[in-house]
Amino acid sequence: MSAIPFGVIGVGHLGAIHARIASGLPELKLIGVFDLDLSRSQKIAKACNTKAFTSLSQLLRQVQAVSLVVPTEHHYQVGTKALKHGAHLFVEKPITSCSDQATDLIHRAEQSGRVLQVGHIERFNPAFQSLSGYSLSPLFIESHRLSRFNPRGLDVSVVLDLMIHDIDIIHSLIPSPLDSIQACGVGVVSTSEDIANARLEFANGAVANLTASRISAKDMRKMRLFQSKAYLAIDFLDQKSEILHLDQAPIPQDIAATCIGNIGVGEQSQSIYLQTPPAIPTNALEQELTSFAQSIVHNTQPVVTGRDGLRALQTAEIILKEMSRRQELSAKKAGL
Ligand code: NAD
């Protein structure tokens, strides 16, 4: 396939990584970068051996696809402009600041026949992908995404900053509508929530309990899945997974299994098998951009669609609303 003329809009912390990776991918031809901060775009352009554009329109006239890596509050306005120029759009997560904007962006992409992919990068994490051969139907999920304090990203709640990664993964695992959400959160060092917990209940009976913190002593990104006959653990940080499966034989059969015990007697006896699916170490952002390029070339739906991004954002919005309802209630009780 011939390389797609490509641009990166916004080359701050994450955009610089998009530009570096795009410059090395055979599927993409990095035409240039654009950032409101010209000295920043010049620095990144030099490092990536590409051009620093001084006008967004000029860049958009020369590319067929872009990565949009500006602060979330500008995703909608800049994304709309990119689509108007006919560019396929990779937009970082969260898709937009609010679901109305996301819905409009999705319609614009659909009407213009452009690919819209959202940067929910954990879908490309080797640990998550290592479970693709296993039939997942979780009834209970526990997730912990804990991060050490970093002054970056404090302008938004930890729900939009970190928890939204797990919200997207959970929606991809539980194909059932949401029944109810309970949530609480506390701002410890910032004016928005730095630590949050949400309990999502789904119409099929499944429950997910999510905790996200950006004021933790150490980093952790773990998800534990419980379903009939199996317990699965995904470590997104160490990029490995584990399956504990109860049956007469290990499933899937092609992954080496160790029998670690038995339950029951006679014909009812079942063995407990421990399996560690091989997770091929890969750069998830590289996989994400390669997959985006393939969707453009083959005119196929991206792995993470605009509607996936919208669904995660809508759930995050309900969580935020529920948290502020509880905070108001607590303040009222305290007579504040
Ligand atoms: P950043 O502040 O480091 O960089 C943003 C850059 O955009 C800056 O250089 C700024 O000058 C530029 N900019 C601002 N408005 C612009 C505009 N209208 N046009 C062009 N350039 C503009 O931010 P960041 O940490 O790189 O985050 C960018 C986006 O990536 C956010 O939406 C964030 O949520 C997302 N993000 C995703 C992940 C992930 O895990 N997928 C991780 C970090 C950040």
Side-chain angles (χ1 to χ4, degrees):
M1 87 191 192
S2 61
I4 300 163
F6 188 75
V8 179
I9 307 170
V11 280
H13 166 70
L14 188 58
I17 305 174
H18 273 253
R20 177 174 53 75
I21 289 177
S23 70
L25 284 181
E27 292 85 355
L28 301 175
K29 178 172 170 43
L30 184 64
I31 301 294
V33 299
F34 172 76
D35 195 295
L36 289 182
D37 179 348
L38 183 59
S39 64
R40 176 75 187 168
S41 57
Q42 283 172 334
K43 182 180 166 198
I44 303 305
K46 195 172 173 203
C48 299
N49 199 20
T50 191
K51 184 176 168 182
F53 281 77
T54 51
S55 141
L56 176 56
S57 301
Q58 266 176 24
L59 170 69
L60 289 172
R61 275 197 286 274
Q62 294 190 31
V63 297
Q64 283 175 17
V66 290
S67 269
L68 181 51
V69 205
V70 300
T72 307
E73 65 197 279
H74 304 301
H75 284 186
Y76 174 69
Q77 180 239 327
V78 185
T80 303
K81 185 162 180 174
L83 288 172
K84 271 188 187 155
H85 272 79
H88 298 281
L89 182 61
F90 180 100
V91 59
E92 263 306 333
K93 61 93 235 182
I95 177 170
T96 51
S97 299
C98 67
S99 47
D100 285 351
Q101 292 177 347
T103 304
D104 189 59
L105 203 63
I106 291 164
H107 283 150
R108 286 170 188 268
E110 283 172 354
Q111 275 166 9
S112 56
R114 301 293 109 171
V115 172
L116 170 59
Q117 181 168 333
V118 186
H120 285 292
I121 194 164
E122 295 292 36
R123 297 267 206 113
F124 295 86
N125 188 304
F128 183 62
Q129 299 218 327
S130 73
L131 295 175
S132 59
Y134 193 83
S135 172
L136 297 171
S137 48
L139 290 171
F140 180 63
I141 298 180
E142 180 88 42
S143 85
H144 286 95
R145 186 167 293 260
L146 315 179
S147 157
R148 275 173 293 181
F149 178 71
N150 180 342
R152 299 170 45 78
L154 292 184
D155 49 325
V156 293
S157 164
V158 70
V159 173
L160 291 173
D161 187 16
L162 301 181
M163 190 187 273
I164 198 159
H165 285 293
D166 297 315
I167 296 173
D168 169 67
I169 291 282
I170 286 166
H171 275 303
S172 78
L173 292 173
I174 304 178
S176 175
L178 269 169
D179 237 8
S180 69
I181 293 183
Q182 290 166 29
C184 62
V186 181
V188 178
V189 294
S190 68
T191 49
S192 57
E193 295 81 14
D194 297 307
I195 179 156
N197 174 264
R199 178 184 161 92
L200 314 185
E201 295 194 4
F202 293 84
N204 70 350
V207 171
N209 187 31
L210 299 85
T211 300
S213 164
R214 57 187 175 200
I215 46 162
S216 179
K218 58 179 186 180
D219 295 336
M220 178 194 280
R221 282 155 45 193
K222 280 191 178 162
M223 193 174 276
R224 297 173 180 88
L225 278 54
F226 300 81
Q227 64 186 50
S228 175
K229 293 194 172 184
Y231 158 77
L232 302 100
I234 308 171
D235 188 330
F236 291 97
L237 197 60
D238 288 348
Q239 303 196 341
K240 57 185 189 194
S241 67
E242 205 172 75
I243 305 171
L244 272 169
H245 184 87
L246 184 68
D247 218 327
Q248 261 112 13
I251 293 174
Q253 270 91 1
D254 57 341
I255 298 175
T258 312
C259 182
I260 58 166
N262 292 292
I263 290 180
V265 286
E267 283 191 2
Q268 304 301 318
S269 170
Q270 292 193 321
S271 301
I272 306 165
Y273 292 98
L274 169 66
Q275 293 174 285
T276 46
I280 303 144
T282 48
N283 181 315
L285 186 51
E286 194 177 305
Q287 298 298 312
E288 219 179 7
L289 290 179
T290 304
S291 174
F292 176 54
Q294 281 164 354
S295 293
I296 295 169
V297 170
H298 303 299
N299 195 18
T300 50
Q301 187 164 281
V303 172
V304 186
T305 64
R307 290 187 187 279
D308 292 339
L310 170 64
R311 185 179 54 180
L313 180 60
Q314 283 170 329
T315 300
E317 284 177 341
I318 302 172
I319 291 172
L320 290 170
K321 216 167 152 187
E322 176 61 13
M323 288 193 310
S324 58
R325 190 191 64 80
R326 285 182 76 100
Q327 283 157 8
E328 276 167 27
L329 209 68
S330 307
K332 223 181 227 174
K333 277 185 187 161
L336 299 174

